[in-house]
Amino acid sequence: MAKTVIGSFATRQQAEAAVEALKARGVEEQEVSLVSRREGGEGARQGEASFTNQSLSEGTAWGAGIGAGAGLLASAGALAIPGIGPLVAAGPLAATLSGAAAGGLAGGLMDWGIPEADAREFENKVRQGRTLCAVRCQDAQVNEVAQVLRQHGAADVKTHPATR
């Protein structure tokens, strides 16, 4: 049975390091999603969202360094989610979010099988500037995926049955 392992990181760099470690352990890129929102980094214009010290437009190229620019984050895109604002999202969750904008990030996470209370908690973490990482994996990988996320600084790592 497929599961979703989810956690939040204080920094983008922690999340990127976790993604690299997961890939090194055989987790497929297409099973990993990242979502982040950041406002006001250095060089950002007033009212423009930024991803650490990058403008939103530069943030959409966020993934160029992961996997030598291939795969997961090369397709990162910008979304505007009601109640949160501009996001940078990559992976299969990004497609879910683009179709669930009215339901917000929590709605997209619930579509992925995350219970409403946890989905709202993770939405709040992204609103506060944390980077969310969600990984779809098989039962045999759950403990290893959760351990990698924790080793790289993820907080509130949780596992739920995947719905898709």
Side-chain angles (χ1 to χ4, degrees):
M1 175 179 219
K3 304 275 185 170
T4 299
V5 180
I6 189 169
S8 68
F9 293 87
T11 70
R12 173 188 84 168
Q13 291 77 17
Q14 289 174 311
E16 289 174 349
V19 169
E20 284 301 316
L22 289 168
K23 287 172 38 181
R25 288 172 174 79
V27 174
E28 299 291 328
E29 264 185 9
Q30 63 266 23
E31 300 302 328
V32 180
S33 293
L34 293 175
V35 178
S36 189
R37 173 192 180 266
R38 222 33 211 242
E39 285 188 295
E42 277 180 46
R45 288 172 277 198
Q46 185 67 18
E48 178 181 357
S50 72
F51 195 69
T52 63
N53 292 334
Q54 302 171 355
S55 71
L56 183 60
S57 61
E58 292 166 344
T60 60
W62 158 34
I66 294 183
L72 174 64
L73 295 178
S75 62
L79 302 166
I81 302 293
I84 296 178
L87 296 177
V88 176
L93 185 55
T96 300
L97 291 177
S98 66
L105 177 57
L109 291 172
M110 287 186 287
D111 285 350
W112 259 40
I114 308 300
E116 183 176 0
D118 288 347
R120 300 250 178 249
E121 176 185 334
F122 283 112
E123 181 179 70
N124 284 331
K125 290 186 179 301
V126 171
R127 185 178 288 117
Q128 295 164 4
R130 295 184 66 86
T131 298
L132 181 70
C133 180
V135 182
R136 293 251 176 113
C137 60
Q138 296 303 311
D139 286 337
Q141 293 176 295
V142 167
N143 291 334
E144 184 176 20
V145 168
Q147 179 182 11
V148 167
L149 294 182
R150 286 184 187 104
Q151 286 174 341
H152 288 87
D156 304 314
V157 175
K158 298 182 180 189
T159 302
H160 301 285
T163 58
R164 293 183 184 185

